[in-house]
Amino acid sequence: MAAPFYPRYYVYFENSSSNPYLIRRIEELNKTANGNVEAKVVCLFRRRDISGNLNTLADSNAREFEEESKQPPLAEQQKHQLKHRELFLSRQFESLPATHIRGKCNVTLLNETDVLAGYLEKEDCFFYSLVFDPVQKTLLADQGEIRVGSKYQAEIPDKLAEGEPDTRVQEKMETKVWDPDNQLKDTQIDQFLVVARAVGTFARALDCSSSIRQPSLHMSAAAASRDITLFHAMDTLQKNGYDLAKAMSTLVPQGGPVLCRDEMEEWSASEAMLFEEALEKYGKDFNDIRQDFLPWKSLASVVQFYYMWKTTDRYIQQKRLKAAEADSKLKQVYIPTYTKPNPNQIMMPGSKPGLNGAAGFQKGLSCESCHTAQSPQWYAWGPPNMQCRLCASCWIYWKKYGGLKTPTQLEGATRAGSAGPRAHMTRQEVQGLSPFTRNEGRAKLLAKNRQTFILQTTKLTRIARRVCEDILQPRRAARRPYASINANAVKAECMIRLPKATKSPLKSKVIPRQSLAAIVKDLAISAPLKLKASRGPPTPINRNQVSQPRVAQSLLGKRGFDAATGVPYPANGRPYTSGMRTTSQSVIKRQKVSQGEAPNPVVFVATKDTRALRKHLTQSEMRRAARKPHLLVRIKLPPPPPRSLPMPLLPSSTSEPIVLED
């Protein structure tokens, strides 16, 4: 069944099968040359589309709104779902094909009389209160706020009783600009206004800038007949007590005739063109018009020019052009219901879409949002290596609102009944912690396989390393991996040197490779026999490391450092794993380790003794230890301070003299 969509509708657009819908407002419906229909839309953004700093700003704005409007308290799950209903309006336009429309929604401006919980009760209902600028990355309050509420109501004073005098000072409350009960007749006032227009025309003839803008007498007379001249003439009569002689002398003082010009005369033709361009882009948002197009004009000047510009022929001409364009554009478009299957559906082998049963493709997993294990259809959700899925109802919620019904581990929360100290951490952060660190209240985490990747260099890169070794400086680059290298410049220099380098072959020193038995023998001889241990008992860096040793097979036969010395870590604080074999063991064949059995990362925390030893190292020794961690670090500890001899305790009172011996 096809549904009609009109301009000014808020609709869902689908640009990806796995991402949530885009929410847009249709401005125009245009037909392209090949017969397709495109919609010019206004972009609205969700919270997931903006940065974390702007989300913090939106949270503070939401808290202020709740305090001012006195909203009823909400549960944590309602607060979580309410963030999915908040949108941010923008002034960004884009064109999208109308065939990507997936439905209609309702977006309203948030008002202090609204109840936030009411948006959760309605389907496809959103609200906005802030405007997002995708270019400047800013959030601003919308200027189109409807002023409804107690703070916008007028305070009406009490009615005066009969015979009660009004004690208010009228001069402070208002200014009198015209007295209809004056001594002049209407004909005399009209004659004075004609004189004022003539003085204005003569003043424009004397003014150089006005004579350039209005070169003809008719244009000067038309400009002098505007309202600003009549207002000045009537104000002159009021100030002079409606005395025509005094008013005449005020119009033509000793310095020359008075020239009155309004905004239509003050603005140049280029400024008027800028105003029309800004009005086409922003509409009647005079703050943005002044800020982006006319910053040298005041806001009052922009508003006055707009209402004067509406009285000109230019406004009527543009209004007719817009009406003609609107007649040529489409008024509505019918979009059929989208029934194609989603590629994210999880189907059993040989089953039809939507009939895969309760277990889904992989048994033992539940919905990431509602934790249910039964659904007529499952959908893959999240990164492929996480193997997460959603049920049918949660998938529709994800597509419409851009989030899950309940916070998950991916969003910084744990499942029900798994309260622990890591509830604020994501699943990736939890997996990155040491596997030896246990917590009794922590829920079981599903450890996913890690995907490996290989970076392979091209032949030109390997040649450039040899030819342009003086420019690349590989040793310096290895010591400073964070410093960027201009690879394009190195390759360009390599192409210049390459013809010369082919004539003179590179001098390379051939080093004979020793056999495996000789290498193992040399390693056994060069291995340290004993390390001088510290005075105190050794403290393991990881508390559970001693109780749960991890043994990983190595390719070469080595004996463990702790087995040789009895100390779990050397003086520089770098741990040595105990997974090395002794030289007496035979060299075994290399075994292929599956991704599921890959070792997890281990986190080591320095102790107080280790940090104290680091202070005795110089800067050069610290760098040498970092570059060559396999070498031992020798620390010269300062001699301990001499212990003071205990003084003998003397009685408080004695008859013998006290003798102090040096």
Side-chain angles (χ1 to χ4, degrees):
M1 181 178 177
F5 292 91
Y6 300 88
R8 316 301 296 179
Y9 268 25
Y10 290 92
V11 294
Y12 294 116
F13 273 91
E14 185 176 24
N15 66 339
S16 175
S17 59
S18 58
N19 292 336
Y21 293 140
L22 304 177
I23 298 179
R24 300 291 186 262
R25 186 180 68 195
I26 301 177
E27 290 295 316
E28 298 175 359
L29 293 172
N30 303 319
K31 195 171 184 180
T32 60
N34 54 3
N36 297 329
V37 178
E38 286 189 352
K40 182 182 178 182
V41 295
V42 178
C43 300
L44 289 95
F45 295 89
R46 304 179 191 264
R47 276 181 171 262
R48 66 194 305 270
D49 301 327
I50 62 177
S51 62
N53 296 332
L54 296 182
N55 269 297
T56 306
L57 183 62
D59 291 337
S60 62
N61 181 74
R63 287 192 295 268
E64 292 177 2
F65 175 80
E66 292 177 1
E67 294 175 358
E68 292 179 359
S69 58
K70 298 179 181 180
Q71 294 287 330
L74 299 175
E76 291 298 327
Q77 185 174 359
Q78 288 180 320
K79 293 180 180 180
H80 171 74
Q81 295 180 1
L82 194 63
K83 293 182 179 180
H84 302 156
R85 303 298 184 100
E86 184 178 8
L87 301 177
F88 303 100
L89 185 66
S90 72
R91 309 205 183 278
Q92 179 178 343
F93 291 86
E94 63 181 4
S95 295
L96 297 174
T99 54
H100 289 188
I101 295 177
R102 296 294 179 263
K104 180 187 174 184
C105 59
N106 185 24
V107 182
T108 57
L109 176 65
L110 185 62
N111 194 273
E112 64 177 6
T113 58
D114 296 340
V115 180
L116 294 176
Y119 288 95
L120 300 177
E121 300 172 358
K122 301 177 184 178
E123 197 73 20
D124 303 325
C125 191
F126 301 87
F127 65 89
Y128 76 93
S129 60
L130 300 175
V131 178
F132 173 62
D133 189 352
V135 180
Q136 303 293 335
K137 305 296 182 183
T138 55
L139 276 180
L140 300 175
D142 186 46
Q143 300 296 329
E145 181 182 1
I146 302 174
R147 298 189 174 185
V148 177
S150 58
K151 62 181 181 180
Y152 297 115
Q153 302 301 320
E155 296 180 359
I156 303 175
D158 297 333
K159 184 179 179 181
L160 297 177
E162 295 184 2
E164 183 180 357
D166 189 1
T167 58
R168 297 177 299 175
V169 181
Q170 298 293 333
E171 288 75 9
K172 294 183 179 180
M173 299 178 61
E174 56 189 2
T175 302
K176 191 174 184 179
V177 295
W178 182 257
D179 186 8
D181 301 329
N182 54 70
Q183 66 272 20
L184 297 178
K185 299 179 181 180
D186 293 343
T187 56
Q188 292 177 321
I189 296 175
D190 294 339
Q191 290 174 356
F192 182 77
L193 295 179
V194 171
V195 172
R197 294 192 189 98
V199 171
T201 306
F202 178 63
R204 283 169 174 77
L206 296 179
D207 186 52
C208 296
S209 60
S210 299
S211 61
I212 295 174
R213 295 179 183 178
Q214 292 95 15
S216 64
L217 180 61
H218 296 284
M219 296 178 65
S220 299
S225 301
R226 298 185 64 84
D227 293 340
I228 188 68
T229 305
L230 302 181
F231 291 159
H232 176 68
M234 298 175 73
D235 187 52
T236 303
L237 284 176
Q238 171 68 21
K239 289 181 179 179
N240 290 277
Y242 299 95
D243 188 348
L244 292 177
K246 292 182 180 180
M248 288 287 186
S249 60
T250 306
L251 283 178
V252 188
Q254 189 175 2
V258 176
L259 176 61
C260 300
R261 291 190 297 194
D262 55 9
E263 297 297 332
M264 290 297 295
E265 291 186 77
E266 292 288 347
W267 287 45
S268 62
S270 59
E271 291 174 341
M273 294 295 291
L274 281 175
F275 176 80
E276 292 178 359
E277 182 182 352
L279 194 67
E280 183 71 20
K281 181 178 181 181
Y282 292 131
K284 292 192 294 184
D285 196 340
F286 300 115
N287 286 314
D288 291 345
I289 290 175
R290 176 183 173 273
Q291 183 177 358
D292 295 344
F293 284 84
L294 300 164
W296 58 90
K297 295 289 185 181
S298 63
L299 185 61
S301 175
V302 174
V303 175
Q304 289 179 12
F305 181 80
Y306 168 73
Y307 287 103
M308 292 181 182
W309 174 78
K310 289 184 69 175
T311 62
T312 60
D313 296 336
R314 180 73 175 173
Y315 170 76
I316 299 173
Q317 182 182 1
Q318 289 193 0
K319 194 173 182 180
R320 290 175 181 174
L321 290 175
K322 287 184 179 180
E325 291 179 1
D327 293 338
S328 63
K329 293 177 181 177
L330 298 177
K331 301 295 187 300
Q332 62 182 6
V333 61
Y334 284 86
I335 305 297
T337 306
Y338 189 76
T339 57
K340 293 183 180 180
N342 194 292
N344 292 277
Q345 291 181 0
I346 302 176
M347 295 178 291
M348 293 290 291
S351 64
K352 297 181 180 180
L355 300 175
N356 62 332
F361 185 75
Q362 190 173 3
K363 296 182 179 181
L365 296 180
S366 60
C367 177
E368 287 289 331
S369 177
C370 62
H371 316 316
T372 183
Q374 295 183 358
S375 176
Q377 179 64 58
W378 294 98
Y379 295 86
W381 177 79
N385 61 326
M386 301 297 292
Q387 299 180 3
C388 303
R389 65 178 186 172
L390 296 177
C391 62
S393 61
C394 293
W395 176 258
I396 297 175
Y397 186 92
W398 159 258
K399 294 290 287 184
K400 287 186 176 181
Y401 305 113
L404 301 184
K405 295 180 181 179
T406 56
T408 61
Q409 293 177 352
L410 290 175
E411 297 177 351
T414 55
R415 295 183 184 272
S418 61
R422 298 194 187 100
H424 66 284
M425 304 180 69
T426 61
R427 182 181 297 177
Q428 291 86 343
E429 293 173 342
V430 174
Q431 287 181 356
L433 293 179
S434 172
F436 302 110
T437 306
R438 285 187 172 182
N439 236 332
E440 298 299 331
R442 186 181 64 174
K444 282 190 176 182
L445 299 174
L446 300 177
K448 305 299 179 181
N449 297 334
R450 297 179 178 87
Q451 294 182 352
T452 58
F453 63 96
I454 300 174
L455 299 178
Q456 187 174 4
T457 57
T458 60
K459 290 184 179 180
L460 181 59
T461 306
R462 292 195 293 270
I463 294 173
R465 291 175 182 171
R466 303 293 299 274
V467 176
C468 303
E469 189 175 1
D470 56 335
I471 301 177
L472 183 59
Q473 297 180 355
R475 289 192 175 183
R476 181 180 178 86
R479 294 170 183 172
R480 302 174 62 191
Y482 53 86
S484 59
I485 299 174
N486 192 351
N488 295 329
V490 175
K491 290 181 180 180
E493 184 67 23
C494 176
M495 296 302 294
I496 297 174
R497 299 184 182 183
L498 197 57
K500 301 179 181 179
T502 54
K503 298 178 182 179
S504 57
L506 295 175
K507 296 180 180 179
S508 58
K509 185 178 180 181
V510 181
I511 301 176
R513 184 177 179 85
Q514 298 179 358
S515 61
L516 182 60
I519 295 175
V520 173
K521 186 176 180 180
D522 293 342
L523 289 175
I525 294 173
S526 61
L529 299 177
K530 188 72 175 177
L531 179 68
K532 188 176 180 180
S534 57
R535 293 184 177 180
T539 303
I541 297 178
N542 199 328
R543 296 179 179 178
N544 299 323
Q545 185 177 0
V546 180
S547 60
Q548 295 182 359
R550 297 180 61 214
V551 179
Q553 294 179 350
S554 176
L555 189 61
L556 298 177
K558 292 184 181 180
R559 55 178 176 173
F561 185 81
D562 51 354
T565 60
V567 182
Y569 64 97
N572 63 347
R574 182 176 177 84
Y576 285 86
T577 57
S578 60
M580 300 298 183
R581 294 182 291 105
T582 59
T583 55
S584 60
Q585 298 178 356
S586 61
V587 179
I588 63 174
K589 295 183 179 180
R590 184 175 181 179
Q591 296 181 358
K592 185 177 181 181
V593 182
S594 64
Q595 294 182 355
E597 298 175 357
N600 293 325
V602 183
V603 179
F604 296 94
V605 182
T607 60
K608 293 183 179 180
D609 299 335
T610 306
R611 289 194 290 267
L613 290 174
R614 289 177 185 169
K615 296 181 180 180
H616 298 289
L617 292 175
T618 62
Q619 189 175 7
S620 60
E621 290 175 346
M622 288 285 289
R623 289 181 178 178
R624 190 181 302 109
R627 293 169 184 169
K628 298 180 180 180
H630 59 280
L631 298 180
L632 300 180
V633 179
R634 302 183 184 277
I635 304 176
K636 296 181 180 180
L637 297 176
R643 297 182 180 180
S644 58
L645 298 175
M647 297 294 296
L649 298 177
L650 300 176
S652 58
S653 60
T654 177
S655 58
E656 299 180 359
I658 298 175
V659 179
L660 299 178
E661 297 181 358
D662 190 0

